[in-house]
Amino acid sequence: MSKAPRVPIMRIILLGAPGSGKGTQAQRLQKDLGLPQISTGDLLRKAAVSGSEFGLQAKMAMDAGELVSNSVVLEMMKERLSACDVGSGYVLDGFPRNQIQAEGLDTVLSDLGQTLDAAVFMDVSHEVLMKRLTGRRTCSKTGKLLNIHFSSQQDLDECIEAGGTLIRRDDDNEDTIRNRLEVYERETEPLITYYRKCRLLQVVDADTSADKVYTRLRKVLVGSRVTESD
Ligand code: ADP
């Protein structure tokens, strides 16, 4: 009987600019390796839809391309990382996003007796980031992430034929995108150095198709001998 491959790296941070593909790759890791994707952006958007006071405050920050307050995000993550589905690991997507959150995460993990295995920086050029962000859409029917510049016509048609529409995120407009990228450079980029010092940093060139990026990411994390054709 064939055994499932042992996956040595379990608790992973995906670091990268808005549009670097963290969400797409986290979804693939979840499907392929069974590691739950924990996306602060998704959790905050869910809270916003719920209409709670906290959710509405979070939505204001998100729509402006600003960060939601550290205390709120850290509290939310403390609860999420204590849930029962994270026993065999997880992929953090969009968290931590600044030094305070990174230090807060260290404390939460040490309280939970957990350690991180890798922080993967997904490296993408500014030009490609802009195209990805302005073209990004989600299928309302399937939840599939698509891009009007990069997805195949077949994938886009599939959504429409399934009765879905291509939804643009509220914060994917030019002004907010510019601010999100500025906030990223100021607040999040320094975490590359932070995790390099902790000897957890891995870098993946993510300037190419989602399939090729996943092959690279998987190789870095699992060390599998998957080949890619360039
Ligand atoms: P992207 O990485 O493309 O910006 P996300 O879904 O990760 O998309 O985040 C969307 C927005 O949610 C951010 O611009 C920010 O307002 C908020 N957000 C997400 N994660 C955090 C976080 N860790 N701390 C503070 N705000 C966050």
Side-chain angles (χ1 to χ4, degrees), residues 194-210:
Y194 182 86
Y195 286 111
R196 184 175 283 124
K197 280 188 186 150
C198 300
R199 298 181 181 279
L200 287 172
L201 189 76
Q202 300 277 2
V203 181
V204 166
D205 177 358
D207 225 337
T208 180
S209 72

Side-chain angles (χ1 to χ4, degrees), residues 22-23 27 37-52 54-56 58-59 62-63 68 76 93-94 97 136 138 145 167-172 180:
K22 301 183 299 291
Q27 281 179 8
Q37 170 197 16
I38 301 181
S39 154
T40 37
D42 286 349
L43 292 170
L44 292 166
R45 276 185 290 277
K46 228 179 255 172
V49 170
S50 79
S52 65
F54 146 66
L56 294 176
K59 181 162 170 50
M62 287 189 282
D63 285 351
V68 174
M76 188 176 81
D93 158 16
R97 244 174 157 96
R136 181 158 70 180
T138 306
L145 289 172
I167 302 174
R168 186 175 186 169
R169 251 170 55 176
D170 288 348
D171 59 349
D172 275 347
R180 281 159 62 206

Side-chain angles (χ1 to χ4, degrees), residues 113-169:
Q114 299 179 4
T115 51
L116 286 171
D117 297 289
V120 184
F121 169 50
M122 306 200 15
D123 197 3
V124 180
S125 70
H126 192 270
E127 194 193 340
V128 172
L129 288 176
M130 283 307 284
K131 260 192 148 174
R132 287 190 185 168
L133 290 166
T134 53
R136 181 158 70 180
R137 302 289 184 276
T138 306
C139 174
S140 62
K141 198 83 183 178
T142 60
K144 192 168 175 180
L145 289 172
L146 297 160
N147 189 297
I148 55 169
H149 303 303
F150 301 121
S151 297
S152 69
Q153 195 55 47
Q154 191 189 347
D155 280 348
L156 295 169
D157 289 347
E158 252 171 39
C159 167
I160 308 297
E161 280 157 19
T165 48
L166 297 173
I167 302 174
R168 186 175 186 169
R169 251 170 55 176

